[in-house]
Amino acid sequence: MAFHLREHGFDATLEAASEHEDAVVVHGWVNQGGFWHVHAWVETGAGVLDLTETHDPQDPAAYYARLGIAPARTVRYGRVEFFTLFAEHGHMGPFDPAFEAARPEGE
């Protein structure tokens, strides 16, 4: 792939999506230390689950603000869709070929 993946985030989505029936898996561009990375997390009714940071749900607005996430730079997958794509592709994403087009400017 032509972009840096925070692979542990992708691995962690499998665990979180497995444990929560209302899980939505999100792949998105995050800015950390001035560098953009592709990351993955799970959103549920309880909040954002990013097991690379904590096992506790986080407030979505605060999480998005802290990581510089814009909804236009994300792709969302329902739980069943995520597991179907995982089985078809043999990896945990990203799956959408247009996703790289959402790369923030200057990368």
Coordinates of all heavy atoms in Angstrom, one line a residue, residues 39-87:
H39 N -5.7 4.6 10.1 CA -6.0 4.0 11.3 C -7.4 3.3 11.3 O -8.2 3.6 10.4 CB -5.9 5.0 12.5 CG -6.0 4.4 13.8 ND1 -5.3 3.3 14.2 CD2 -6.7 4.9 14.9 CE1 -5.6 3.1 15.5 NE2 -6.4 4.0 16.0
A40 N -7.7 2.5 12.2 CA -9.0 1.8 12.3 C -9.4 1.8 13.7 O -8.6 1.6 14.7 CB -8.9 0.4 11.7
W41 N -10.8 1.9 13.9 CA -11.4 1.9 15.2 C -12.8 1.4 15.1 O -13.3 1.3 14.0 CB -11.3 3.2 16.0 CG -12.0 4.4 15.3 CD1 -13.3 4.8 15.4 CD2 -11.4 5.2 14.2 NE1 -13.6 5.8 14.6 CE2 -12.5 6.1 13.8 CE3 -10.2 5.2 13.5 CZ2 -12.3 7.0 12.8 CZ3 -10.0 6.2 12.6 CH2 -11.1 7.1 12.2
V42 N -13.5 1.2 16.2 CA -14.8 0.7 16.2 C -15.7 1.8 16.9 O -15.3 2.3 17.9 CB -15.0 -0.7 16.8 CG1 -16.4 -1.1 17.1 CG2 -14.3 -1.7 16.0
E43 N -16.9 2.0 16.4 CA -17.8 2.8 17.1 C -19.1 2.0 17.4 O -19.5 1.2 16.7 CB -18.2 4.0 16.2 CG -17.1 4.9 15.9 CD -17.4 6.1 15.1 OE1 -18.6 6.4 14.8 OE2 -16.4 6.9 14.7
T44 N -19.5 2.2 18.7 CA -20.7 1.5 19.2 C -21.6 2.6 19.8 O -21.2 3.8 19.9 CB -20.4 0.5 20.2 OG1 -19.9 1.1 21.4 CG2 -19.3 -0.5 19.7
G45 N -22.8 2.2 20.3 CA -23.6 3.1 21.0 C -22.9 3.7 22.3 O -23.3 4.7 22.8
A46 N -21.9 3.0 22.8 CA -21.2 3.4 24.0 C -20.1 4.4 23.7 O -19.6 5.1 24.5 CB -20.6 2.2 24.7
G47 N -19.7 4.5 22.4 CA -18.7 5.5 22.0 C -17.7 4.8 21.1 O -17.9 3.7 20.5
V48 N -16.5 5.5 21.0 CA -15.4 5.0 20.2 C -14.6 3.9 21.0 O -14.2 4.2 22.1 CB -14.5 6.1 19.7 CG1 -13.2 5.6 19.1 CG2 -15.2 7.0 18.8
L49 N -14.4 2.8 20.3 CA -13.5 1.8 20.9 C -12.2 1.7 20.1 O -12.2 1.2 19.0 CB -14.2 0.4 21.0 CG -15.4 0.3 21.8 CD1 -16.1 -1.0 21.6 CD2 -15.1 0.5 23.3
D50 N -11.1 2.2 20.7 CA -9.8 2.1 20.0 C -8.9 1.4 21.0 O -8.4 2.0 21.9 CB -9.3 3.5 19.7 CG -8.0 3.5 19.0 OD1 -7.3 2.4 19.0 OD2 -7.6 4.5 18.4
L51 N -8.9 0.1 20.8 CA -8.1 -0.8 21.7 C -6.6 -0.5 21.7 O -5.9 -1.1 22.6 CB -8.5 -2.2 21.5 CG -9.9 -2.6 21.6 CD1 -10.1 -4.1 21.3 CD2 -10.5 -2.2 22.9
T52 N -6.1 0.3 20.8 CA -4.7 0.6 20.8 C -4.4 1.7 21.9 O -3.3 1.9 22.2 CB -4.2 1.2 19.5 OG1 -4.8 2.4 19.2 CG2 -4.5 0.2 18.3
E53 N -5.5 2.3 22.4 CA -5.4 3.3 23.4 C -5.9 2.9 24.8 O -5.4 3.1 25.8 CB -6.1 4.6 23.0 CG -5.5 5.2 21.8 CD -6.2 6.5 21.4 OE1 -7.2 6.9 22.0 OE2 -5.7 7.2 20.5
T54 N -7.1 2.3 24.8 CA -7.8 1.9 26.0 C -8.9 1.0 25.7 O -9.4 0.9 24.6 CB -8.4 3.2 26.7 OG1 -9.1 2.8 27.9 CG2 -9.4 3.9 25.8
H55 N -9.4 0.2 26.7 CA -10.5 -0.7 26.5 C -11.8 0.0 26.9 O -12.9 -0.5 26.8 CB -10.3 -1.9 27.4 CG -9.4 -2.9 26.8 ND1 -8.1 -2.6 26.5 CD2 -9.6 -4.2 26.4 CE1 -7.6 -3.7 25.9 NE2 -8.5 -4.6 25.8
D56 N -11.7 1.3 27.3 CA -12.9 2.1 27.7 C -13.5 2.8 26.5 O -12.7 3.4 25.7 CB -12.6 3.0 28.8 CG -12.2 2.3 30.1 OD1 -12.7 1.2 30.4 OD2 -11.2 2.8 30.8
P57 N -14.8 2.9 26.4 CA -15.3 3.8 25.3 C -14.9 5.2 25.5 O -14.8 5.7 26.6 CB -16.8 3.6 25.5 CG -17.0 2.4 26.3 CD -15.8 2.3 27.2
Q58 N -14.7 5.9 24.3 CA -14.3 7.3 24.3 C -15.4 8.1 23.7 O -16.1 7.6 22.8 CB -13.0 7.5 23.6 CG -11.8 6.7 24.2 CD -10.5 6.9 23.4 OE1 -10.1 8.0 23.2 NE2 -10.0 5.8 22.8
D59 N -15.5 9.4 24.0 CA -16.4 10.3 23.4 C -16.0 10.5 22.0 O -14.9 10.9 21.7 CB -16.4 11.6 24.2 CG -17.3 12.6 23.5 OD1 -18.5 12.5 23.5 OD2 -16.7 13.6 22.9
P60 N -16.9 10.2 21.0 CA -16.6 10.4 19.6 C -16.1 11.8 19.2 O -15.1 11.9 18.5 CB -17.9 10.0 18.9 CG -18.6 9.2 19.8 CD -18.3 9.7 21.2
A61 N -16.7 12.8 19.7 CA -16.3 14.2 19.3 C -14.9 14.5 19.8 O -14.1 15.1 19.1 CB -17.3 15.2 19.8
A62 N -14.6 14.1 21.0 CA -13.3 14.3 21.6 C -12.2 13.5 20.9 O -11.1 14.0 20.6 CB -13.3 14.0 23.1
Y63 N -12.6 12.3 20.5 CA -11.6 11.4 19.8 C -11.3 12.0 18.4 O -10.2 12.1 18.1 CB -12.3 10.0 19.7 CG -11.4 9.0 19.0 CD1 -10.4 8.3 19.7 CD2 -11.6 8.6 17.7 CE1 -9.6 7.3 19.1 CE2 -10.8 7.7 17.0 CZ -9.9 7.0 17.7 OH -9.1 6.1 17.1
Y64 N -12.4 12.3 17.7 CA -12.2 12.9 16.4 C -11.3 14.2 16.4 O -10.4 14.4 15.6 CB -13.5 13.1 15.7 CG -14.1 11.9 15.0 CD1 -14.2 10.7 15.6 CD2 -14.5 12.0 13.6 CE1 -14.8 9.6 15.0 CE2 -15.0 10.9 13.0 CZ -15.1 9.7 13.7 OH -15.7 8.6 13.1
A65 N -11.6 15.1 17.4 CA -10.9 16.3 17.5 C -9.4 16.1 17.9 O -8.5 16.7 17.3 CB -11.5 17.2 18.6
R66 N -9.2 15.2 18.8 CA -7.8 14.9 19.2 C -6.9 14.3 18.1 O -5.8 14.7 18.0 CB -7.8 13.9 20.4 CG -6.5 13.6 21.0 CD -6.6 12.9 22.3 NE -7.4 11.7 22.3 CZ -7.0 10.5 21.8 NH1 -5.8 10.3 21.3 NH2 -7.9 9.5 21.8
L67 N -7.5 13.5 17.2 CA -6.8 12.9 16.2 C -6.9 13.6 14.8 O -6.4 13.1 13.8 CB -7.2 11.4 16.0 CG -6.8 10.5 17.2 CD1 -7.3 9.1 17.0 CD2 -5.3 10.5 17.5
G68 N -7.6 14.7 14.8 CA -7.7 15.5 13.6 C -8.5 14.7 12.5 O -8.2 14.9 11.3
I69 N -9.5 14.0 12.9 CA -10.3 13.2 12.0 C -11.4 14.0 11.4 O -12.2 14.6 12.2 CB -10.8 11.9 12.7 CG1 -9.7 11.0 13.2 CG2 -11.7 11.1 11.7 CD1 -10.1 10.0 14.2
A70 N -11.6 13.9 10.1 CA -12.7 14.5 9.4 C -13.5 13.4 8.9 O -13.0 12.5 8.2 CB -12.2 15.5 8.3
P71 N -14.9 13.4 9.0 CA -15.7 12.4 8.5 C -15.5 12.1 7.0 O -15.6 11.0 6.6 CB -17.1 12.9 8.8 CG -17.0 13.7 10.0 CD -15.7 14.4 9.8
A72 N -15.1 13.1 6.2 CA -14.9 12.9 4.8 C -13.6 12.1 4.5 O -13.5 11.6 3.4 CB -14.7 14.3 4.1
R73 N -12.8 11.9 5.6 CA -11.6 11.1 5.4 C -11.8 9.7 6.1 O -10.8 9.1 6.5 CB -10.4 11.8 6.0 CG -10.0 13.1 5.3 CD -8.7 13.6 5.9 NE -8.5 15.0 5.5 CZ -8.4 16.0 6.4 NH1 -8.5 15.8 7.7 NH2 -8.2 17.2 5.9
T74 N -13.0 9.3 6.2 CA -13.3 8.0 6.8 C -14.1 7.1 5.9 O -14.8 7.6 5.0 CB -14.0 8.1 8.2 OG1 -15.3 8.7 7.9 CG2 -13.2 8.9 9.1
V75 N -14.1 5.8 6.1 CA -15.0 4.8 5.5 C -15.5 4.0 6.6 O -14.8 3.5 7.5 CB -14.2 4.0 4.4 CG1 -15.1 3.0 3.8 CG2 -13.5 4.8 3.4
R76 N -16.8 3.8 6.6 CA -17.5 3.1 7.7 C -18.1 1.7 7.1 O -18.6 1.7 6.0 CB -18.6 3.9 8.2 CG -18.1 5.3 8.7 CD -19.2 6.2 9.0 NE -20.0 5.8 10.2 CZ -19.6 6.0 11.5 NH1 -18.5 6.6 11.7 NH2 -20.4 5.6 12.5
Y77 N -18.0 0.7 7.9 CA -18.5 -0.6 7.6 C -19.3 -1.2 8.7 O -18.8 -1.2 9.9 CB -17.3 -1.6 7.3 CG -16.3 -1.2 6.3 CD1 -15.2 -0.5 6.6 CD2 -16.6 -1.4 4.9 CE1 -14.3 -0.1 5.6 CE2 -15.8 -1.0 3.9 CZ -14.6 -0.3 4.3 OH -13.7 0.1 3.3
G78 N -20.5 -1.6 8.4 CA -21.3 -2.3 9.4 C -20.6 -3.6 9.8 O -19.7 -4.1 9.1
R79 N -21.0 -4.1 10.9 CA -20.3 -5.3 11.5 C -20.3 -6.5 10.5 O -19.2 -7.1 10.2 CB -21.0 -5.7 12.8 CG -20.4 -6.9 13.5 CD -21.1 -7.0 14.8 NE -20.4 -8.0 15.7 CZ -20.9 -9.2 15.9 NH1 -22.1 -9.6 15.4 NH2 -20.3 -10.0 16.7
V80 N -21.4 -6.8 9.9 CA -21.5 -7.9 9.0 C -20.7 -7.6 7.7 O -20.0 -8.5 7.2 CB -23.0 -8.3 8.7 CG1 -23.1 -9.3 7.6 CG2 -23.7 -8.8 9.9
E81 N -20.9 -6.4 7.2 CA -20.1 -6.0 6.0 C -18.6 -6.2 6.3 O -17.9 -6.7 5.4 CB -20.5 -4.6 5.6 CG -19.7 -4.1 4.4 CD -20.0 -2.7 4.1 OE1 -20.5 -1.9 4.9 OE2 -19.7 -2.3 2.9
F82 N -18.1 -5.7 7.4 CA -16.7 -5.8 7.8 C -16.3 -7.2 7.8 O -15.2 -7.6 7.2 CB -16.5 -5.2 9.1 CG -15.1 -5.4 9.7 CD1 -14.0 -4.8 9.1 CD2 -14.9 -6.3 10.7 CE1 -12.7 -5.0 9.6 CE2 -13.6 -6.6 11.2 CZ -12.5 -5.9 10.6
F83 N -17.0 -8.1 8.4 CA -16.6 -9.5 8.5 C -16.6 -10.2 7.1 O -15.8 -11.0 6.8 CB -17.4 -10.3 9.5 CG -17.0 -10.0 10.9 CD1 -17.8 -9.4 11.8 CD2 -15.7 -10.3 11.4 CE1 -17.4 -9.1 13.1 CE2 -15.3 -10.0 12.7 CZ -16.2 -9.4 13.5
T84 N -17.6 -9.8 6.3 CA -17.7 -10.3 4.9 C -16.5 -9.9 4.1 O -15.8 -10.7 3.4 CB -19.0 -9.8 4.2 OG1 -20.1 -10.3 5.0 CG2 -19.1 -10.3 2.8
L85 N -16.1 -8.6 4.2 CA -15.0 -8.1 3.4 C -13.7 -8.7 4.0 O -12.8 -9.0 3.2 CB -14.9 -6.6 3.5 CG -16.0 -5.9 2.7 CD1 -16.1 -4.4 3.1 CD2 -15.8 -6.0 1.2
F86 N -13.6 -8.9 5.3 CA -12.4 -9.5 5.9 C -12.2 -10.9 5.3 O -11.1 -11.3 4.9 CB -12.6 -9.5 7.4 CG -11.5 -10.3 8.1 CD1 -10.2 -10.2 7.9 CD2 -11.9 -11.2 9.1 CE1 -9.2 -10.9 8.6 CE2 -10.9 -12.0 9.8 CZ -9.6 -11.8 9.5
A87 N -13.3 -11.7 5.2 CA -13.2 -13.0 4.6 C -12.9 -13.0 3.1 O -12.1 -13.8 2.7 CB -14.6 -13.7 4.8

